[in-house]
Structures are given as structure tokens and as C-alpha cells.
Amino acid sequence: RYSYLPIFEERYENAVPLLKQAEALAQRGDPVLPTRYWTAATYAEAESGMKNLKACQSAFERAHDVSSLLEISPAWIRFDASRLPALQGACYVRLEQPSLAEPVLKQALQQSAKTSRRRAMILSDLALSALQQTDVEKACTYAEEVVTLTASSASGFLRNSVLKIQQQLTPFASVEAIRTLKQHIASLA
């Protein structure tokens, strides 16, 4: 858990040493718990922030073994195989690999977008992925739903997601759909 703060603050290089230690500890932990796979997925997030595609993919290969567990994950861990597509898609967006991101994010949207917060997070990554592919119309469609979901939420995390999308809109400022989206985003303030 200590690695989350540097990851959220985008200081990925500070998270990696913590995660290496956590992975070593998790290997010695209870094999029925998903802790080792959770740690691997978090390690993948840090590696994606450091733009290391191979290390990120390798960590996700380790994390995907969580699906071999037969017991239900304890509530305090909150990690199971259903979380992997969204995490992996977000990492591919961070790595600017939209062709890898889009299919897993769409899978995540179908499988695990049960709460509006999780749905908004996945849609936010889909919007960023579409912008990376310069598919402005698709990006606006996803982003409009993110803004709508964020407006009915008190989540600062979702508001940060909207800000990340907003920062990527500048190159497309002359497009009508972008101007409409910017107005919708401004209504959140």
C-alpha cells in the first residue's frame, strides 16, 4: 500500500523499490491469498509510468495467475481477476499504446463496470486512448459520459481523470465536439 502514494503522484521511480520488496515478501506469504498477484499488478502500474512496456507486460503475466486461485479474495485485499483488464488498459494508456489499451478497456467495461466510479475510470482511459489515436469523436463520446458520471460524484479521483482528459484536448481545440466537451467540463466547476 505504501507504493500507491508515489504512483498516484506519478513518482513511479519511488514506487519500484517498494514494490520489489513487496513482491519478495508476497512470494513467502499465504499462497491462498491473491497478495502476490496484487503486488505484481501494482508493479506493472509503476513500470508503465516509467515507460517500460516489457516489464509492465511481464508483471501482468504474473498478475494474471490470480485467476488460478479457487478461494474468494478477502474484502481487505479487494483484488481478483476482474480488476486486471481495467488496470492493464490504464497501463497501456500510460504507455501510449492505444491499440493494446482499447480491447482490454472494452473488456473491463463489459465485465467490471458495476459502479459508476469504476465505469467512469474505465471510460476516462478509453477517452485518452481514443485521443492517442486521434479519434476525436469517440474520445468525446467517452469523455462526455465521464463528465456526467463525475458531476454526480464527490470523487476527487474522477475529477482528476477529467482534468487529465482536458489536458489532452488542446491539439483538437478547433473541433466542435471538443468545444462542446470543454463547456461540459467547465460546468463541473
Side-chain angles (χ1 to χ4, degrees):
R1 291 192 189 269
Y2 289 123
S3 68
Y4 282 142
L5 188 57
I7 288 173
F8 290 139
E9 293 176 349
E10 297 181 358
R11 294 181 294 111
Y12 304 104
E13 67 282 352
N14 293 348
V16 170
L18 293 169
L19 289 163
K20 283 182 178 179
Q21 288 179 330
E23 274 202 297
L25 287 171
Q27 291 304 317
R28 295 190 312 246
D30 189 341
V32 220
L33 295 175
T35 316
R36 67 187 67 200
Y37 312 113
W38 175 33
T39 305
T42 308
Y43 187 80
E45 287 185 78
E47 288 294 351
S48 72
M50 294 178 52
K51 305 299 183 199
N52 190 339
L53 176 62
K54 286 190 186 274
C56 175
Q57 288 176 317
S58 174
F60 271 118
E61 286 174 17
R62 294 189 305 276
H64 276 283
D65 287 341
V66 72
S67 60
S68 67
L69 293 180
L70 302 176
E71 296 194 26
I72 295 174
S73 175
W76 62 270
I77 293 181
R78 291 182 290 172
F79 184 80
D80 59 28
S82 71
R83 294 194 177 259
L84 287 173
L87 286 171
Q88 196 164 5
C91 287
Y92 287 148
V93 168
R94 198 175 295 121
L95 284 159
E96 298 177 11
Q97 298 289 324
S99 62
L100 297 174
E102 189 173 11
V104 290
L105 288 169
K106 285 183 176 180
Q107 177 187 357
L109 200 57
Q110 291 175 350
Q111 288 180 350
S112 65
K114 293 176 180 86
T115 66
S116 52
R117 182 176 185 268
R118 187 174 284 181
R119 180 172 180 79
M121 290 167 44
I122 295 166
L123 288 167
S124 176
D125 286 324
L126 277 165
L128 292 170
S129 175
L131 285 170
Q132 290 172 354
Q133 297 175 73
T134 65
D135 189 339
V136 176
E137 296 297 324
K138 189 189 293 185
C140 286
T141 301
Y142 292 134
E144 286 288 349
E145 188 173 349
V146 173
V147 173
T148 300
L149 291 167
T150 302
S152 62
S153 168
S155 172
F157 192 76
L158 291 184
R159 291 189 184 277
N160 285 341
S161 294
V162 172
L163 290 175
K164 283 182 183 178
I165 294 170
Q166 188 175 25
Q167 292 168 354
Q168 300 301 314
L169 300 178
T170 306
F172 311 103
S174 63
V175 178
E176 180 62 33
I178 295 294
R179 289 196 295 268
T180 303
L181 176 59
K182 284 185 171 185
Q183 289 173 348
H184 196 183
I185 290 172
S187 72
L188 286 176

